Amino acid sequence: MIWMFDLEEELKKLPDHPGVYLMHDDADNIIYVGKAVSLKNRVRQYFQAGRNVSPKIERMISNVASFEYILADSEVEALVLECNLIKECSPKYNTMLKDDKSYPYIKATIKEPYPRLLFTHKRKKDNARYFGPYTSIGAMKETLDFLIETFKLRTCSKKLEGDNVCGRPCLYYHIHRCSAPCQGYISREEYLDNFNKAISVLSGNSQSVINELKEKMLEASDNMEFEKAATLRDRIKSIRVMSEKQKASGDESEDRDIIAMAGQDDEAVVQVFFVRAGKIIGREHHYLTGVSGADEADIIAAFIKQYYADTPYIPRELLIPCELEETEVICGWLSEKRGHRVYITTPKIGSKGRLIELAKKNARLVLTQDAQRMRNEDKRTKQAMKELSEYLGLQGLTRVESYDISNTGGYESVGSMVVFEDGKPKKHDYRKFKIKTVKGPDDYASMREVLTRRIEHAISDMENNKEGFLRLPDIILMDGGKGQVNIACEVLEKYNLEIPVCGMVKDNRHRTRGLYYNGNEISIDTSSECFKLITRIQDETHRFAIEYHRLLRSKKQVRSVLDDISGIGPKRRRALVRHFKSIDAIREASVDELCKVSEITRTVAENIYNYFREDQGG
């Protein structure tokens, strides 16, 4: 336990070995994660009297109640582990990348007999070739659509082998977007030739494709094949237009990312330019928090480690504005991920130096333009949570869970659970519940079931070391007043949990006017950020419940209750409805009467009979 931790003794036990160390506060929260070539030397430095650290790290040290460490075989392995733990634990004193973006790729299925170009968000090790990442989905789809239409490539998922013909040609053939290899209208050699030209254009080698098409166009013209020549002419024109949309940038044979940053107070913006085959294909900016006291090299290093830990494509070269202390280790890690050597360089002059300056200017511009927006967002979210804490006289409110029930006359009752953290929706943690034990429109009983299942899931996750429902809320908001609050309190008391519960009290127009807490109604200033947050939570809880309820209702419209019965498929369902005319008649039928339907065996008839008796509680 933390209070038994003897700092001096544990420092003596530190091994002279690579690894990762985790600092804990007195509540056992992980507040900092770092890596070290020698755990013994690195961790001891934090607690030496003459240490020279930034103010942020000094504050971290003052909050350390204990530490632990994990050994690694090498510094590179320690770096990988550090990246994973920072992402998993979100330590308070680490510089954190706020963005969690995924970029689209064009996937070339080069191993298929008739390969395709596909849109994908995931880059896998599947013997395909990937192009990207593209920072604009629109631009990527425009490129993909252009190549498929220009080179008449197939988009279907049919498994084409040899000269086998599959069915009839699809619509894409008739609108001249596919050459119909499934019908044998194009030979495999000609199809692959077109596909390889598309790959050349994607790779930035459009001029060689244009030259080849020019020769074929002139040859077709000489042979008086004017229609073919016109088609090739249009294809050349399209490729030229596409190529001109890409801005040239230096060496045309390299892939590189250009990285630069701008910082202010405790936040920074990192700007990344993506250069593929010597052309800038896009740019992105990313926000980092917790940078107070950190220098440029520390921020850039933290960004590279967190960003490229999840980015499937790693270019051959990274251009950065300053030297890093751990350049060699990071290069080794990136090279291992890429499968080829990766270089990190710091250009000061020439075209590369100018690109770094351009990225810096863009980062400063984004930071300046977004400074006010970020302050407003902070006021709208964190300030709202602070106001809520003050209204209720509670401390440390971060995670809010809100619940609602939705049904139509008790039909298809569902429950929703939405989660807000620091005043922002955390949609990954939302949960839906289909009510199982309650018949009819009983919102109180339905809410009791939802909360009971939510807590039992948390207990199960704790026992099985899972995370789905593990984290409990700091406060629960119920979409209702005293009755709903009492239900929630009963469930929490049953499991010996002490979590504050508030009801969102509504006026005659069903609009929230205040909170019901500890037996009292608390009025809230309707112009305050707190009131606006509560309204957003209430609206989101309603929306999530209603959407799920509508989904289930729409499914029921094309699905019969009979489908829930063992042995009933579409054919038997139709036969039953034709014979009995209604579900009520089927419900009242005896086993013998059910057996009169030709498709229904006695076993299935008994299943039907028993299903409706169980459904009625009999």
Side-chain angles (χ1 to χ4, degrees):
M1 301 297 288
I2 292 174
W3 54 84
M4 298 294 290
F5 190 86
D6 189 326
L7 183 63
E8 293 300 325
E9 285 300 315
E10 295 301 325
L11 287 173
K12 293 176 184 177
K13 298 175 185 176
L14 285 164
D16 186 12
H17 199 280
V20 173
Y21 54 92
L22 300 88
M23 302 296 193
H24 293 252
D25 63 13
D26 55 8
D28 205 26
N29 297 312
I30 296 172
I31 58 174
Y32 189 77
V33 175
K35 71 164 183 62
V37 180
S38 168
L39 288 166
K40 178 180 179 180
N41 297 336
R42 185 74 184 102
V43 178
R44 281 182 172 182
Q45 287 176 359
Y46 287 107
F47 304 99
Q48 291 173 351
R51 59 181 176 260
N52 181 21
V53 295
S54 68
K56 183 179 80 169
I57 296 301
E58 190 64 57
R59 289 195 299 274
M60 182 274 291
I61 295 169
S62 67
N63 285 296
V64 172
S66 67
F67 63 79
E68 60 178 313
Y69 52 87
I70 303 170
L71 298 181
D73 288 334
S74 65
E75 193 176 0
V76 171
E77 186 179 302
L79 186 147
V80 174
L81 183 56
E82 178 195 28
C83 292
N84 292 338
L85 288 172
I86 288 174
K87 183 176 180 181
E88 180 183 342
C89 305
S90 300
K92 180 178 179 180
Y93 291 99
N94 281 94
T95 296
M96 293 296 300
L97 177 62
K98 291 171 72 173
D99 306 79
D100 187 18
K101 301 178 180 178
S102 89
Y103 298 102
Y105 292 82
I106 292 176
K107 174 180 177 179
T109 61
I110 56 177
K111 294 298 182 182
E112 292 182 338
Y114 293 89
R116 297 167 291 158
L117 294 179
L118 306 172
F119 167 91
T120 183
H121 269 291
K122 294 183 178 180
R123 191 170 188 269
K124 303 175 181 177
K125 293 183 177 179
D126 54 1
N127 293 320
R129 187 174 174 188
Y130 291 83
F131 296 88
Y134 291 86
T135 58
S136 166
I137 290 182
M140 188 281 300
K141 286 186 175 178
E142 182 184 347
T143 301
L144 183 62
D145 192 59
F146 159 78
L147 292 171
I148 289 171
E149 184 172 1
T150 301
F151 296 101
K152 305 295 184 284
L153 303 178
R154 74 184 185 105
T155 56
C156 66
S157 57
K158 293 178 180 176
K159 292 185 178 180
L160 305 183
E161 299 289 344
D163 297 323
N164 294 336
V165 176
C166 301
R168 295 177 297 175
C170 66
L171 175 65
Y172 288 108
Y173 169 74
H174 294 293
I175 62 174
H176 309 295
R177 286 178 56 90
C178 178
S179 52
C182 60
Q183 303 301 304
Y185 294 169
I186 184 173
S187 68
R188 184 165 181 264
E189 291 71 22
E190 188 179 353
Y191 182 91
L192 289 177
D193 183 56
N194 287 338
F195 180 80
N196 290 331
K197 285 184 174 65
I199 294 296
S200 293
V201 174
L202 270 178
S203 303
N205 301 323
S206 55
Q207 191 55 51
S208 63
V209 176
I210 289 171
N211 293 339
E212 185 178 341
L213 291 176
K214 265 186 180 179
E215 289 181 12
K216 290 185 177 180
M217 179 185 70
L218 293 173
E219 183 182 339
S221 180
D222 291 341
N223 295 332
M224 290 188 290
E225 296 173 321
F226 299 119
E227 188 176 341
K228 180 179 179 182
T231 301
L232 292 168
R233 179 202 61 204
D234 293 342
R235 190 172 292 183
I236 291 168
K237 184 179 178 181
S238 297
I239 294 171
R240 278 180 173 155
V241 170
M242 177 58 68
S243 299
E244 285 168 5
K245 288 185 177 181
Q246 295 178 303
K247 179 183 175 184
S249 161
D251 187 350
E252 294 189 356
S253 63
E254 296 295 340
D255 287 0
R256 60 172 63 94
D257 288 354
I258 297 112
I259 302 169
M261 62 143 292
Q264 183 178 326
D265 300 326
D266 197 40
E267 293 188 324
V269 168
V270 173
Q271 184 82 38
V272 186
F273 284 106
F274 302 107
V275 176
R276 300 294 178 263
K279 301 178 188 296
I280 295 177
I281 65 166
R283 65 179 184 180
E284 281 292 342
H285 59 265
H286 301 262
Y287 292 99
L288 293 97
T289 58
V291 302
S292 177
D295 59 24
E296 184 180 42
D298 290 338
I299 295 169
I300 294 292
F303 171 79
I304 289 173
K305 287 188 282 186
Q306 293 178 58
Y307 178 71
Y308 290 103
D310 292 326
T311 302
Y313 180 77
I314 297 171
R316 183 175 180 273
E317 184 180 28
L318 305 184
L319 305 185
I320 62 174
C322 56
E323 299 286 346
L324 304 182
E325 184 180 335
E326 45 191 358
T327 298
E328 224 174 283
V329 177
I330 294 175
C331 279
W333 168 60
L334 293 174
S335 299
E336 188 175 309
K337 280 177 69 69
R338 184 175 187 263
H340 297 283
R341 177 71 174 159
V342 174
Y343 300 89
I344 297 179
T345 57
T346 312
K348 301 297 182 185
I349 58 174
S351 60
K352 291 182 179 180
R354 288 193 294 273
L355 283 170
I356 290 286
E357 284 303 314
L358 181 62
K360 277 186 178 180
K361 286 179 182 177
N362 277 271
R364 285 194 292 268
L365 182 64
V366 171
L367 190 64
T368 303
Q369 290 178 339
D370 284 9
Q372 186 58 47
R373 181 191 63 78
M374 292 162 72
R375 283 193 290 271
N376 291 341
E377 178 68 12
D378 189 63
K379 180 181 179 182
R380 195 174 75 94
T381 55
K382 292 181 181 177
Q383 179 64 27
M385 288 299 296
K386 184 179 178 184
E387 288 178 10
L388 179 62
S389 299
E390 291 170 354
Y391 273 115
L392 302 177
L394 299 169
Q395 297 294 323
L397 296 185
T398 299
R399 182 183 175 96
V400 178
E401 288 184 6
S402 179
Y403 296 84
D404 189 23
I405 301 296
S406 181
N407 62 66
T408 303
Y411 175 71
E412 288 294 356
S413 289
V414 300
S416 68
M417 166 185 140
V418 305
V419 180
F420 276 59
E421 283 193 2
D422 289 323
K424 298 178 184 178
K426 191 176 183 184
K427 295 191 176 183
H428 181 72
D429 285 5
Y430 286 16
R431 294 292 185 269
K432 297 177 287 193
F433 300 86
K434 186 175 180 181
I435 304 303
K436 299 177 178 179
T437 63
V438 181
K439 302 296 180 184
D442 190 337
D443 285 0
Y444 286 173
S446 297
M447 186 61 74
R448 180 180 284 107
E449 179 189 324
V450 167
L451 290 170
T452 299
R453 285 165 60 187
R454 188 267 178 267
I455 292 169
E456 287 182 349
H457 276 308
I459 294 169
S460 174
D461 286 352
M462 188 179 298
E463 291 172 349
N464 295 293
N465 198 27
K466 295 182 179 179
E467 295 185 2
F469 280 89
L470 185 57
R471 186 173 176 192
L472 292 171
D474 300 316
I475 187 169
I476 292 174
L477 293 184
M478 307 299 294
D479 186 45
K482 183 177 179 180
Q484 293 279 27
V485 170
N486 289 341
I487 292 293
C489 290
E490 287 174 16
V491 175
L492 293 172
E493 186 178 354
K494 176 183 173 182
Y495 292 95
N496 296 318
L497 292 171
E498 295 184 6
I499 299 173
V501 182
C502 280
M504 293 182 276
V505 184
K506 302 174 186 66
D507 60 20
N508 294 332
R509 296 183 181 181
H510 205 69
R511 296 179 304 188
T512 299
R513 68 167 188 256
L515 293 175
Y516 178 81
Y517 178 59
N518 277 352
N520 299 306
E521 185 177 322
I522 302 170
S523 296
I524 296 177
D525 180 3
T526 55
S527 64
S528 68
E529 292 298 333
C530 176
F531 184 84
K532 293 173 186 175
L533 172 63
I534 292 169
T535 303
R536 288 197 299 275
I537 293 173
Q538 183 186 40
D539 291 345
E540 181 69 350
T541 311
H542 278 312
R543 179 198 67 78
F544 194 55
I546 291 169
E547 281 188 1
Y548 184 41
H549 177 53
R550 284 175 179 165
L551 174 66
L552 294 182
R553 275 171 43 208
S554 66
K555 285 182 176 179
K556 281 293 183 182
Q557 288 170 1
V558 296
R559 183 180 185 277
S560 168
V561 67
L562 299 174
D563 291 328
D564 290 329
I565 303 173
S566 176
I568 298 293
K571 186 176 180 181
R572 282 175 171 165
R573 181 185 67 207
R574 287 193 295 270
L576 284 164
V577 173
R578 275 198 305 268
H579 184 88
F580 289 101
K581 307 303 182 187
S582 72
I583 295 295
D584 286 338
I586 298 170
R587 187 193 304 271
E588 300 302 324
S590 66
V591 172
D592 289 337
E593 288 171 330
L594 291 166
C595 285
K596 291 178 181 178
V597 181
S598 58
E599 287 83 357
I600 303 299
T601 65
R602 189 162 193 86
T603 300
V604 174
E606 289 173 353
N607 289 344
I608 298 169
Y609 183 85
N610 292 332
Y611 175 85
F612 284 115
R613 299 310 173 280
E614 291 170 1
D615 188 48
Q616 294 167 356

